[in-house]
Amino acid sequence: MTGPLVLEKQGSFFVGGRNVTSDTLSTLPAYAPSGTITVEQMYVRYQVPVAAGRPPVTLIHGCCLTGKTWETTPDGRMGWDEYFVRRGHPTYVVDQVSRGRSSADPSLVNSVKLGKTPVDKTPPIFAAGQEAAWAIFRFGTEYPKVHDGMRFPLAAKDEFYKQMVVDWIATMPTPNPTVKALSELSKKLDGTVLISHSQSGIYPFQTAALDTTGIAGIVSIEPGTCPAATGDLKPYMSIPIMVLWGDYVETSSRWAPRLKACREFAEALTKAGGRIDHVVLPDLGIKGNSHMLMQDDNSLEIADRLVAWIEKNVKAKKN
Amino acid sequence: MTGPLVLEKQGSFFVGGRNVTSDTLSTLPAYAPSGTITVEQMYVRYQVPVAAGRPPVTLIHGCCLTGKTWETTPDGRMGWDEYFVRRGHPTYVVDQVSRGRSSADPSLVNSVKLGKTPVDKTPPIFAAGQEAAWAIFRFGTEYPKVHDGMRFPLAAKDEFYKQMVVDWIATMPTPNPTVKALSELSKKLDGTVLISHSQSGIYPFQTAALDTTGIAGIVSIEPGTCPAATGDLKPYMSIPIMVLWGDYVETSSRWAPRLKACREFAEALTKAGGRIDHVVLPDLGIKGNSHMLMQDDNSLEIADRLVAWIEKNVKAKKN
């Protein structure tokens, strides 16, 4: 796991996207106001190890972040993007639609600037502040308190904060176009495990509800939302699923209700005959994990658990 | 060049960045309006081949684009990001400050939305329309005409358009913080060739004017601006420099004056005793290159020229 990394291939591409025309693309003399742009495409970067053999995984970041989430940790350790490759998985890392390298549409902002749209219709783009993010990422109950036993590398928190980006998600239609793009990607990969995090937690489920084709498994890490326990469970019956939680969840007013709802979903799905593992790490004696499991000091041990779970539950297609 | 890719290491990190506080980070109930965010950091992804031996190169994209510029071409061929690695160069790909994975600051947009800032102060963010971009990227004289012998893979133009992102550059202070970040990166790498493109063309020169430490060479591909021929040439005297142009430049009202100004700079620098190669590919019999040289069908031949130029002109540090 520490020698040279040997890749069969690597690259990047987009899935999804549609063209829109606008007459407020720009208010600058150097750039034409009118024209066509492509929006709602999703950036995907991938690496395929030699002698892969294991199913492709797709890593989907959460709120206010990009695919950087899965790369080198803030304190400089190997990210899951590389580790899954080293463990034999072709690995796909996306930037959600309208985040990072997946573009957003500035037309409405410019329309406001030009007086063509009322000010209160300015699109609600936002940046998550570090102080509020502190509790959301569960570094502590509130900024700047630190949970006992915290495994997130807080000495490198400044590098983590640099990962946070302006977020256009509230300007997106419902369902979020990332879902459709993930469906397209799953079909293209012909069997991938969708690994989501936090705000993207519901996306693999929504993708399955759209079409299960190409979805070999779902790992939802600390999802913001699980499907309703009382809803239509049929889309999830044929897919191996894991929902995974770190520590300090039960005492978080934000996260405890989400864990509860996911547990209810897992119980309902199990009862209906589905295959789902609802894992709360402290129940296994693994303590101290923040919301950013993939960057905590035991991140690779957690990745090992996912690799083992995939090995056990997800069949790789013969190539 | 087509077998498995063997990497000594890879990863990503940020350079630069400063904290700002704001009370208009968000207008959404779910995210606090007040707090601290980090801005002006620059995202850097890198790959180091085994037995590198050659100097690190830093690839800096142009207007309305991100580091994706240098990755897989729109028609699916290997990008310069991988090719330079295969030729023995540790390769660093950045997203300019306020573009892609390097965040921008939405505070002013929200301040307008909340009525705290006059509408005409809305930040001038923009997207370049495809029709106008057509002539800027020199696919033809005007949309949808195509230059004879065009080497850009226009059959895959839709994939190229997906690379274009919303651009916050006009909201940045002067000089653009990317320059300071490039300086920090150059020092960290202890000798890198800064390879810029188009809108970023002037940045390596501005970086050198700030501090030449760590700048082993400059390759400016179709720069939007060169340093003034009549200005202070001292910062550029000790650095090997190449300015590179594709085809159809002389007949472009946008690009011809820029080529002329760069040629004058090159002549002035040569006269003063500097080392600069001002290369216009058609003068060497290489025709049909668009502004997006690194994605044209002869992109790897052009990369080979840069590798050879670096080999000849830039000394690698002993490791």
Side-chain angles (χ1 to χ4, degrees):
Chain A
M1 291 297 130
T2 52
L5 176 67
V6 186
L7 300 176
E8 176 66 31
K9 59 179 177 173
Q10 68 173 358
S12 63
F13 57 87
F14 291 89
V15 288
R18 64 186 179 85
N19 283 351
V20 296
T21 58
S22 165
D23 59 1
T24 57
L25 293 175
S26 165
T27 59
L28 296 166
Y31 297 94
S34 296
T36 307
I37 61 172
T38 308
V39 298
E40 300 180 9
Q41 66 273 29
M42 182 176 78
Y43 170 76
V44 186
R45 185 172 76 82
Y46 69 94
Q47 296 190 315
V48 178
V50 289
R54 288 177 164 161
V57 298
T58 299
L59 300 171
I60 313 153
H61 63 83
C63 171
C64 330
L65 296 164
T66 71
K68 167 61 185 159
T69 293
W70 313 98
E71 298 178 354
T72 311
T73 66
D75 57 338
R77 290 170 291 116
M78 188 188 296
W80 283 15
D81 71 323
E82 179 172 330
Y83 193 71
F84 274 91
V85 173
R86 287 181 177 269
R87 294 300 306 269
H89 294 275
T91 301
Y92 294 73
V93 178
V94 311
D95 281 358
Q96 286 190 39
V97 166
S98 79
R99 210 98 51 87
R101 290 177 171 181
S102 304
S103 190
D105 180 357
S107 295
L108 195 55
V109 174
N110 287 326
S111 185
V112 169
K113 184 174 174 71
L114 295 167
K116 296 180 175 186
T117 294
V119 168
D120 65 334
K121 302 291 185 201
T122 305
I125 62 180
F126 69 96
Q130 294 164 9
E131 296 84 351
W134 188 272
I136 297 174
F137 292 120
R138 294 204 316 284
F139 301 150
T141 51
E142 63 180 332
Y143 177 82
K145 289 181 187 168
V146 178
H147 280 304
D148 287 341
M150 172 49 52
R151 287 182 173 278
F152 187 84
L154 284 173
K157 66 182 187 304
D158 290 346
E159 176 77 4
F160 173 66
Y161 292 145
K162 293 178 186 180
Q163 300 184 7
M164 300 175 73
V165 295
V166 55
D167 199 321
W168 294 68
I169 193 171
T171 72
M172 290 288 101
T174 304
N176 189 295
T178 299
V179 171
K180 196 175 157 201
L182 287 171
S183 185
E184 187 178 323
L185 180 63
S186 299
K187 289 172 187 171
K188 183 184 168 85
L189 300 183
D190 192 24
T192 180
V193 180
L194 298 175
I195 303 182
S196 63
H197 179 234
S198 194
Q199 165 262 317
S200 74
I202 191 68
Y203 289 173
F205 297 106
Q206 292 177 328
T207 307
L210 204 64
D211 187 342
T212 58
T213 308
I215 306 178
I218 291 174
V219 175
S220 189
I221 301 172
E222 300 221 344
T225 317
C226 276
T230 55
D232 178 14
L233 301 177
K234 203 172 161 196
Y236 321 122
M237 294 296 289
S238 62
I239 301 172
I241 298 169
M242 177 196 271
V243 178
L244 179 70
W245 298 89
D247 204 349
Y248 322 107
V249 179
E250 299 282 11
T251 55
S252 162
S253 60
R254 175 182 289 260
W255 290 107
R258 296 170 172 182
L259 182 144
K260 181 169 176 287
C262 285
R263 184 175 275 137
E264 288 166 1
F265 164 68
E267 288 168 355
L269 190 63
T270 301
K271 198 171 168 186
R275 295 179 291 158
I276 182 166
D277 290 302
H278 189 263
V279 180
V280 183
L281 287 175
D283 294 349
L284 306 178
I286 299 166
K287 303 198 172 179
N289 281 109
S290 75
H291 182 54
M292 296 301 293
L293 295 167
M294 72 295 287
Q295 301 184 351
D296 287 345
D297 69 9
N298 59 342
S299 58
L300 300 188
E301 294 164 47
I302 295 172
D304 280 337
R305 289 188 168 262
L306 301 193
V307 170
W309 181 86
I310 293 167
E311 178 78 24
K312 184 179 167 192
N313 291 282
V314 181
K315 279 204 169 62
K317 299 235 177 190
K318 300 286 175 204
N319 287 318
Chain B
M1 290 297 129
T2 53
L5 175 68
V6 187
L7 300 176
E8 175 65 30
K9 59 180 179 173
Q10 67 174 357
S12 62
F13 57 88
F14 291 88
V15 288
R18 63 184 179 87
N19 283 353
V20 295
T21 58
S22 165
D23 58 1
T24 58
L25 293 175
S26 164
T27 59
L28 297 165
Y31 297 94
S34 297
T36 307
I37 61 173
T38 308
V39 299
E40 301 179 8
Q41 65 272 31
M42 182 176 79
Y43 170 77
V44 186
R45 186 173 76 81
Y46 70 93
Q47 295 189 316
V48 178
V50 289
R54 287 176 164 162
V57 298
T58 299
L59 300 171
I60 312 152
H61 62 83
C63 172
C64 329
L65 296 164
T66 71
K68 167 61 185 159
T69 294
W70 312 98
E71 298 178 354
T72 311
T73 66
D75 57 339
R77 290 171 291 114
M78 188 188 298
W80 283 14
D81 70 323
E82 178 172 330
Y83 192 71
F84 274 91
V85 173
R86 286 182 178 269
R87 294 300 306 270
H89 293 276
T91 301
Y92 294 75
V93 178
V94 312
D95 281 358
Q96 284 189 39
V97 166
S98 80
R99 209 98 51 88
R101 290 178 170 180
S102 304
S103 190
D105 180 357
S107 297
L108 195 54
V109 174
N110 288 326
S111 185
V112 170
K113 184 175 174 69
L114 295 167
K116 295 181 174 183
T117 294
V119 169
D120 65 333
K121 301 291 184 202
T122 306
I125 62 180
F126 70 96
Q130 294 164 10
E131 296 84 351
W134 190 271
I136 296 174
F137 292 121
R138 292 203 319 282
F139 301 150
T141 51
E142 61 180 332
Y143 178 81
K145 291 181 186 167
V146 177
H147 280 303
D148 287 342
M150 172 50 50
R151 288 181 173 277
F152 187 84
L154 284 173
K157 65 182 187 303
D158 290 346
E159 176 77 5
F160 172 64
Y161 292 145
K162 294 178 186 181
Q163 298 183 8
M164 299 173 72
V165 296
V166 55
D167 199 320
W168 294 68
I169 192 171
T171 72
M172 290 288 102
T174 302
N176 189 295
T178 299
V179 171
K180 196 174 157 200
L182 287 171
S183 184
E184 189 178 324
L185 181 62
S186 299
K187 289 172 188 172
K188 183 184 168 84
L189 300 183
D190 192 24
T192 180
V193 179
L194 298 175
I195 302 182
S196 62
H197 178 235
S198 194
Q199 164 261 317
S200 73
I202 190 69
Y203 289 174
F205 297 106
Q206 291 177 329
T207 306
L210 204 62
D211 188 343
T212 58
T213 307
I215 306 177
I218 291 174
V219 175
S220 189
I221 301 172
E222 300 220 342
T225 317
C226 275
T230 53
D232 178 15
L233 301 176
K234 203 173 162 200
Y236 321 123
M237 293 296 290
S238 62
I239 301 172
I241 298 169
M242 177 196 271
V243 179
L244 180 69
W245 298 90
D247 203 351
Y248 321 107
V249 178
E250 298 283 9
T251 55
S252 163
S253 60
R254 177 182 288 262
W255 290 107
R258 294 169 173 184
L259 182 144
K260 181 169 176 287
C262 285
R263 182 174 276 138
E264 288 166 1
F265 164 68
E267 288 168 357
L269 190 62
T270 301
K271 196 171 170 188
R275 295 179 290 158
I276 182 167
D277 289 303
H278 189 263
V279 179
V280 183
L281 287 174
D283 294 347
L284 307 178
I286 300 166
K287 302 199 174 180
N289 281 109
S290 75
H291 182 54
M292 296 301 293
L293 295 167
M294 72 298 287
Q295 301 184 353
D296 287 344
D297 68 8
N298 60 343
S299 57
L300 299 188
E301 294 163 48
I302 295 171
D304 280 337
R305 288 189 170 263
L306 300 193
V307 170
W309 182 85
I310 292 168
E311 178 78 24
K312 184 180 167 192
N313 291 282
V314 180
K315 281 206 168 61
K317 297 236 178 190
K318 301 287 176 204
N319 288 317

